[in-house]
Amino acid sequence: MEALRASREIMAPADWQRIDFISDLHLAEDTPKGFNAWRGYLLNTTADAVFILGDLFEAWVGDDARFEGFEARGAAVLSAAAADRKLFFMVGNRDFLLGAEMLAACSVEALPDPTALCAFDQRVLLTHGDAWCLGDLPYQAFRAQVRNPAWQAQVLARPLAERRLMARSLRSESERAATEHGGVWFDVDAPTALRAMDENNAPTLVHGHTHRPTTEALAPGRVRHVLSDWTLDHGRDHNHAPRAEVMRFEDGRWTRLAPADAVASGT
Ligand code: MN
């Protein structure tokens, strides 16, 4: 496992009043409701900065995919939104191939995992979450492979069309594996999370990945906010109603908002 100490620390400028966090939107060609909700939210949020903490996209096959189709529409939304507020992006376990080229083209700043954020006189630790799901041994082996720079270079050297096919078969493989797990799911390892919070002197942790949105104390005085997934298109595939949520940090207080409630109302 990688270091628990954040290699990057972001100091929120004093004039930031609101900071939003989203993750696990899993946007794709076949999630038009999610995409439209995300676009409406990101272009109009009243936040000074938005931290996208991984799995914005269901798959990402390389930054050279950004010139056409769904990826081009995603890039256009990021670019337009970045003109009016600061955008940060951390990769997740689905869009881990989204890289510096795409982010630079869209004026989005890359975040290492984990990253520390200082805002409203508080220290907050940010992670996608998959790296600390230590109980899922097959996934951790897969992760070690696909995060290897040599493996990534080899994959990115293949033709774009071939990579799109690969992504499709990986997706059906992960759906099959999820079914075979028979409802077993892996949470972030709590001792690891607490150690990371200690090492970064951050009493608050924000992560996504598990699709189990909650706010809870991992230990006295140490709180984690687990971000919601966005399931507006696939509600019936899940054991819950369609949902989408933005976590907002405003004047040192945390609130969960529907995307439509995070935007300027015009009143
Ligand atoms: Mn994830």
Side-chain angles (χ1 to χ4, degrees):
M1 202 179 62
E2 291 105 291
L4 297 177
R5 171 86 64 166
S7 60
R8 176 87 196 278
E9 187 166 310
I10 292 176
M11 294 290 303
D15 62 346
W16 282 6
Q17 295 183 343
R18 292 171 210 95
I19 305 172
D20 285 356
F21 302 84
I22 57 174
S23 73
D24 300 284
L25 289 85
H26 294 267
L27 301 178
E29 194 80 58
D30 63 354
T31 63
K33 288 181 189 165
F35 187 89
N36 288 336
W38 171 66
R39 181 176 53 201
Y41 156 71
L42 201 68
L43 294 176
N44 298 295
T45 175
T46 54
D48 302 285
V50 179
F51 287 73
I52 302 170
L53 299 184
D55 290 353
L56 171 62
F57 298 113
E58 171 69 12
W60 192 261
V61 296
D63 291 353
D64 54 340
R66 72 179 187 274
F67 300 107
E68 54 183 47
F70 167 74
E71 289 87 351
R73 287 187 281 127
V77 171
L78 287 170
S79 295
D84 292 326
R85 62 195 60 72
K86 191 89 182 114
L87 295 187
F88 296 92
F89 180 85
M90 180 184 286
V91 299
N93 55 299
R94 309 305 305 251
D95 50 13
F96 58 88
L97 282 178
L98 203 153
E101 225 179 274
M102 164 76 174
L103 294 178
C106 301
S107 306
V108 177
E109 198 170 325
L111 295 178
D113 187 350
T115 285
L117 168 69
C118 303
F120 312 118
D121 292 319
Q122 296 182 36
R123 286 179 62 81
V124 181
L125 189 62
L126 312 175
T127 181
H128 177 60
D130 61 312
W132 300 348
C133 289
L134 302 181
D136 193 348
L137 297 176
Y139 172 68
Q140 292 303 332
F142 170 79
R143 186 177 194 277
Q145 182 192 7
V146 303
R147 297 300 181 100
N148 182 315
W151 183 91
Q152 294 191 358
Q154 214 173 53
V155 167
L156 291 172
R158 295 183 191 173
L160 180 56
E162 193 182 322
R163 280 177 273 140
R164 288 193 188 281
L165 283 174
M166 275 178 66
R168 222 163 295 155
S169 71
L170 270 179
R171 183 175 180 180
S172 43
E173 172 60 19
S174 80
E175 275 158 10
R176 187 195 58 77
T179 316
E180 284 183 3
H181 274 164
V184 176
W185 71 286
F186 294 94
D187 198 357
V188 163
D189 181 65
T192 301
L194 286 167
R195 219 164 53 238
M197 293 164 86
D198 274 356
E199 284 199 21
N200 293 284
N201 191 25
T204 306
L205 171 68
V206 177
H207 74 80
H209 181 62
T210 59
H211 300 203
R212 306 277 167 138
T214 186
T215 290
E216 63 180 8
L218 286 175
R222 284 182 294 174
V223 172
R224 74 162 168 175
H225 301 291
V226 184
L227 301 175
S228 175
D229 48 355
W230 291 38
T231 58
L232 301 176
D233 297 271
H234 301 301
R236 277 173 304 177
D237 301 344
H238 294 72
N239 55 3
H240 57 75
R243 68 185 177 202
E245 209 173 66
V246 174
M247 177 63 89
R248 174 162 288 179
F249 194 24
E250 180 172 10
D251 287 332
R253 287 183 309 275
W254 298 87
T255 45
R256 294 176 187 268
L257 295 170
D261 295 332
V263 305
S265 61
T267 56

